Amino acid sequence: MEGILTTDNLLQLLMAFLGSAGFAVMFHLRRRFLLIASLGGLLSWLVYLLCVPVLSGGFFPALAASAFGAFYAEILARIKKAPSTLFFLVSMIPLIPGRTLYYSMSSAVDADLAMSSLYGLQTFQCALGIGAGMSVAWAICDLSRKVQLFRSGGRDLQNDRS
């Protein structure tokens, strides 16, 4: 755990929180959700940082962090009785692969196609990991809702549509 608590990583976590908060404000998120939604960005980035040394490449850390963010959003949505999208979008902001996308485009403009394709592949892997993580998490959440509905005998059919 000592390796994760470096000054650089703590600064990254602070920036993940502040960046998420900035987007939450830009998305006009209600003040009562601002702190917990921004905390989701910090926690998603923490999961990413914890997974990078253990899981190879950009796909699996992004998948784990994205799945965590989706579960976090679903749990908060149930607790706060609000749409999970509010929390999910803010939680995913730190995971967006902006650096590799920028370097890919910059290399392409400089006619360095080898570096452009390398950065493009890293961008694609991270984006695919984010998509796969949220898909897995939402499939599990949807399955749990359907199991809950089945156990209740369909009494909550109207409430499940929300």
Side-chain angles (χ1 to χ4, degrees):
M1 189 68 176
E2 186 178 302
I4 196 70
L5 292 179
T6 64
T7 305
D8 183 51
N9 286 349
L10 291 174
L11 185 61
Q12 287 184 41
L13 291 172
L14 175 64
M15 292 301 116
F17 178 81
L18 293 176
S20 297
F23 274 89
V25 168
M26 191 173 75
F27 293 152
H28 302 289
L29 196 66
R30 292 183 184 159
R31 282 191 179 155
R32 64 185 176 133
F33 298 146
L34 189 68
L35 184 64
I36 56 175
S38 301
L39 184 64
L42 182 145
L43 293 174
S44 293
W45 191 247
L46 177 64
V47 169
Y48 183 83
L49 289 176
L50 290 171
C51 290
V52 165
V54 179
L55 303 171
S56 64
F59 176 78
F60 290 109
L63 183 139
S66 175
F68 172 83
F71 283 127
Y72 180 83
E74 288 290 329
I75 290 166
L76 279 180
R78 289 183 185 191
I79 292 170
K80 297 293 184 179
K81 298 187 183 351
S84 64
T85 308
L86 300 175
F87 305 111
F88 179 73
L89 288 175
V90 175
S91 295
M92 292 300 105
I93 293 300
L95 300 178
I96 295 172
R99 180 181 66 93
T100 55
L101 180 60
Y102 170 80
Y103 287 140
S104 177
M105 294 298 110
S106 178
S107 297
V109 168
D110 292 340
D112 187 357
L113 297 183
M115 289 306 291
S116 179
S117 58
L118 175 69
Y119 285 123
L121 180 62
Q122 290 174 355
T123 302
F124 179 73
Q125 287 175 343
C126 186
L128 189 63
I130 292 170
M134 68 184 201
S135 296
V136 167
W138 285 339
I140 291 170
C141 289
D142 187 53
L143 180 64
S144 79
R145 279 191 287 271
K146 288 180 179 175
V147 167
Q148 200 173 31
L149 181 65
F150 178 76
R151 286 187 179 164
S152 70
R155 292 181 297 246
D156 296 332
L157 187 58
Q158 294 300 322
N159 295 338
D160 189 52
R161 300 285 180 209
S162 58

